[in-house]
Amino acid sequence: MDVLQQLLYGFEVVLTPENLMAALIGCLAGTMVGVLPGLGPTAGAAVLLPLTFTMGPVAGLIMIASIYYGVQYGGSLTSVLLNIPGETSSIMTTIDGYQLTRQGRAGAALFIVTIGSFIAATISVILVSFIGPPVASFAMGFGPPEFLALAVVGLLFLVRIMGGSLASGLIPMVIGLALGTIGMDAVSGTSRLQFGIPALAAGMDVVAVAVGVFGIAEVMRLVADEGRLPRAQKVRMRDLRPSREELRRSWAPWGRGTITGFIFGLLPGPGPTISTFISYKLEKVFSKNRHLLGKGAIEGVASPEAANNAAATSGMIPLLALGMPFTPVLALMVAAMMVQGVTPGPLLATQRPDIFWGVIASMYIGNVVLVVLNLPLIGVWVRLLQVPRSLLVPVITVVSIVGTYALNSSMLDVMVLLVAGVLGYVLTNYGYHLAPLALGLILGPFAERYLREGLFISQGDLTYFFTSPIAMGLWILLVGGLVLQTTMGARARRQGRELVEVVAE
């Protein structure tokens, strides 16, 4: 069966009432989460994650995927109208987006953002359709050395790419790895670290921890931050039409942003966020109107938003083909697969083609749904910005607790949820990143299994993990990347000290 036939099968899977409804609800929920500043894609997906377990595996994963790329659309609304990014990947959009709003071109900016996001995501989905299956077929020959190297590279690269000190990412990752060792050992079947609690034999529930550190912790931050949002200006349908000049100037940035985003979405780390910074830098180099960037240039919103959505889409390739999530939201999709009894990895395309191709086909449909929803409903999203926190906070809290309890009907999960929420709040207050914690909890057991399987096969010979050319290449990439980043960081600090000394003189 060639790619087109498989893709048609995916559309056959997704074009059912349940799966179409899941895509629609996911797109609506994702846009809503993106519009509400402070929540972000991870917290929103974490809060809504338990609700997907009442659906079938295909519908549940389609809904989470729809939430993921729906947030990329919604986050741009507050960036343009309020100068407040709905999530981190919309930061660069605020620079020129808000300036366009001040110039009375908010509607045109939102139109360019929406259409550019649709074009970039659609091109990326087409590429995912053709690249994903060969990558999965290639990965079917992977063994413990390759998968261990992939897991370690993904974890350590994420720790360094997140920014801040090494400890700000490494300590949460270690906490996640430690939590992943609780429960029954997958290799030997031995129970460990149960602390006399029989319910922990199944391990620490990934959903409870994820909803806690992202959802409940976000609620606590919303309560602690008493600041109120400024009122957004109204945008009418007739204001959405851009000028011919604005459309003409958008095509090249859309193309550059799409290419940049697709490439960075394949790499470990927060691809959507990094790609927006890189795409904005590229506009400063290649744009004919680079002198207008920062002053309300349409290129400043067209390129970052295209990169944002292209990266969010291409990030599905390592998830679906390798079972390796490189962002927190994709890690939640792995958690959803595990709860639904689906094993992520290279065999997913052959063992569960309904999920593999259903999710890919849903992205085609989801992009159309998002365009249809976002342009007419911009006025609704603007009004949603005025929802009082006194209403928002209890709704999120109740949904989180009820959803987590309903998963296993276990009060232990609710306790884990609350403790994880406090832990997430404390960590973020002290400048620690939560993404490495979530990925450590999910990827840790996989890495341990591959390590122990490899040691069993090689009878304890550690050189076995370096005999594969692919694994060796990944280890070299990891060491080279860490050395390069350390060197660049040291150089930046040295230049900073020299600048301070010159100013002091």
Side-chain angles (χ1 to χ4, degrees), residues 39-320:
L39 272 183
T42 308
V47 169
L48 297 173
L49 180 63
L51 303 181
T52 66
F53 301 144
T54 60
M55 307 175 180
V58 179
L61 292 174
I62 286 175
M63 183 173 174
I64 296 175
S66 301
I67 292 170
Y68 180 42
Y69 45 79
V71 170
Q72 314 305 321
Y73 279 82
S76 60
L77 189 68
T78 54
S79 298
V80 172
L81 295 179
L82 299 176
N83 201 29
I84 300 174
E87 27 87 29
T88 56
S89 59
S90 296
I91 290 174
M92 299 309 294
T93 308
T94 62
I95 299 174
D96 288 273
Y98 189 63
Q99 291 300 320
L100 286 165
T101 296
R102 296 180 65 182
Q103 296 168 17
R105 301 301 296 163
L110 290 173
F111 182 90
I112 293 297
V113 163
T114 303
I115 299 302
S117 299
F118 171 76
I119 292 172
T122 301
I123 293 173
S124 294
V125 171
I126 294 172
L127 293 174
V128 168
S129 303
F130 286 90
I131 295 176
V135 172
S137 299
F138 176 70
M140 287 181 70
F142 283 14
E146 291 84 3
F147 281 116
L148 176 65
L150 270 174
V152 174
V153 167
L155 284 169
L156 292 183
F157 264 21
L158 179 66
V159 167
R160 296 309 299 139
I161 290 174
M162 291 298 293
S165 65
L166 177 63
S168 66
L170 192 61
I171 290 177
M173 185 192 74
V174 171
I175 294 174
L177 292 173
L179 293 175
T181 63
I182 296 175
M184 187 175 293
D185 178 8
V187 177
S188 66
T190 305
S191 296
R192 57 189 183 181
L193 300 176
Q194 289 184 227
F195 307 104
I197 303 175
L200 285 178
M204 188 67 68
D205 191 276
V206 175
V207 175
V209 175
V211 176
V213 296
F214 292 113
I216 297 298
E218 193 63 49
V219 168
M220 297 173 72
R221 283 191 291 274
L222 286 172
V223 172
D225 180 14
E226 296 181 356
R228 300 189 64 83
L229 294 174
R231 181 170 293 274
Q233 66 172 259
K234 293 182 179 180
V235 179
R236 296 166 296 185
M237 284 294 295
R238 65 169 179 255
D239 298 329
L240 295 175
R241 187 171 62 185
S243 66
R244 286 188 178 182
E245 176 66 12
E246 288 169 331
L247 275 175
R248 184 189 64 79
R249 288 168 51 186
S250 299
W251 285 104
W254 282 341
R256 286 189 287 264
T258 299
I259 296 171
T260 304
F262 186 83
I263 293 172
F264 277 90
L266 300 174
L267 304 177
T273 301
I274 295 173
S275 66
T276 57
F277 283 88
I278 300 298
S279 65
Y280 196 85
K281 291 288 186 183
L282 289 176
E283 291 308 307
K284 287 189 173 182
V285 175
F286 294 105
S287 176
K288 295 180 181 179
N289 300 289
R290 63 179 72 94
H291 62 285
L292 296 176
L293 286 169
K295 303 174 184 177
I298 201 69
E299 294 87 348
V301 297
S303 186
E305 283 300 316
N308 177 11
N309 286 271
T313 304
S314 64
M316 291 290 180
I317 292 180
L319 172 69
L320 295 175

Side-chain angles (χ1 to χ4, degrees), residues 31-48:
T31 304
M32 189 181 303
V33 166
V35 166
L36 294 171
L39 272 183
T42 308
V47 169
L48 297 173

Side-chain angles (χ1 to χ4, degrees), residues 180-476:
T181 63
I182 296 175
M184 187 175 293
D185 178 8
V187 177
S188 66
T190 305
S191 296
R192 57 189 183 181
L193 300 176
Q194 289 184 227
F195 307 104
I197 303 175
L200 285 178
M204 188 67 68
D205 191 276
V206 175
V207 175
V209 175
V211 176
V213 296
F214 292 113
I216 297 298
E218 193 63 49
V219 168
M220 297 173 72
R221 283 191 291 274
L222 286 172
V223 172
D225 180 14
E226 296 181 356
R228 300 189 64 83
L229 294 174
R231 181 170 293 274
Q233 66 172 259
K234 293 182 179 180
V235 179
R236 296 166 296 185
M237 284 294 295
R238 65 169 179 255
D239 298 329
L240 295 175
R241 187 171 62 185
S243 66
R244 286 188 178 182
E245 176 66 12
E246 288 169 331
L247 275 175
R248 184 189 64 79
R249 288 168 51 186
S250 299
W251 285 104
W254 282 341
R256 286 189 287 264
T258 299
I259 296 171
T260 304
F262 186 83
I263 293 172
F264 277 90
L266 300 174
L267 304 177
T273 301
I274 295 173
S275 66
T276 57
F277 283 88
I278 300 298
S279 65
Y280 196 85
K281 291 288 186 183
L282 289 176
E283 291 308 307
K284 287 189 173 182
V285 175
F286 294 105
S287 176
K288 295 180 181 179
N289 300 289
R290 63 179 72 94
H291 62 285
L292 296 176
L293 286 169
K295 303 174 184 177
I298 201 69
E299 294 87 348
V301 297
S303 186
E305 283 300 316
N308 177 11
N309 286 271
T313 304
S314 64
M316 291 290 180
I317 292 180
L319 172 69
L320 295 175
L322 303 174
M324 291 292 166
F326 290 149
T327 64
V329 178
L330 295 180
L332 292 176
M333 287 192 68
V334 172
M337 289 182 183
M338 294 165 62
V339 171
Q340 297 277 14
V342 177
T343 303
L347 295 177
L348 182 65
T350 55
Q351 293 180 344
R352 293 301 303 267
D354 55 334
I355 290 178
F356 187 91
W357 289 105
V359 170
I360 290 178
S362 75
M363 290 192 281
Y364 285 93
I365 294 173
N367 283 316
V368 176
V369 169
L370 284 168
V371 171
V372 173
L373 286 177
N374 276 275
L375 292 179
L377 294 182
I378 282 179
V380 175
W381 303 132
V382 170
R383 286 193 290 272
L384 185 63
L385 289 169
Q386 309 306 323
V387 172
R389 296 189 180 187
S390 57
L391 177 63
L392 187 63
V393 167
V395 169
I396 295 175
T397 304
V398 170
V399 169
S400 300
I401 293 175
V402 172
T404 301
Y405 176 79
L407 181 59
N408 298 312
S409 299
S410 170
M411 282 304 298
L412 177 64
D413 288 346
V414 176
M415 294 172 62
V416 169
L417 169 81
L418 299 177
V419 172
V422 174
L423 175 64
Y425 178 74
V426 171
L427 287 176
T428 51
N429 274 1
Y430 283 93
Y432 292 96
H433 302 296
L434 298 179
L437 190 154
L439 290 188
L441 175 59
I442 292 173
L443 289 184
F446 288 103
E448 181 191 10
R449 189 183 72 192
Y450 300 135
L451 174 64
R452 295 183 62 182
E453 287 178 353
L455 291 174
F456 178 78
I457 294 171
S458 65
Q459 297 183 345
D461 184 6
L462 289 175
T463 60
Y464 168 73
F465 294 102
F466 304 95
T467 54
S468 163
I470 297 174
M472 192 65 190
L474 288 170
W475 292 120
I476 293 173

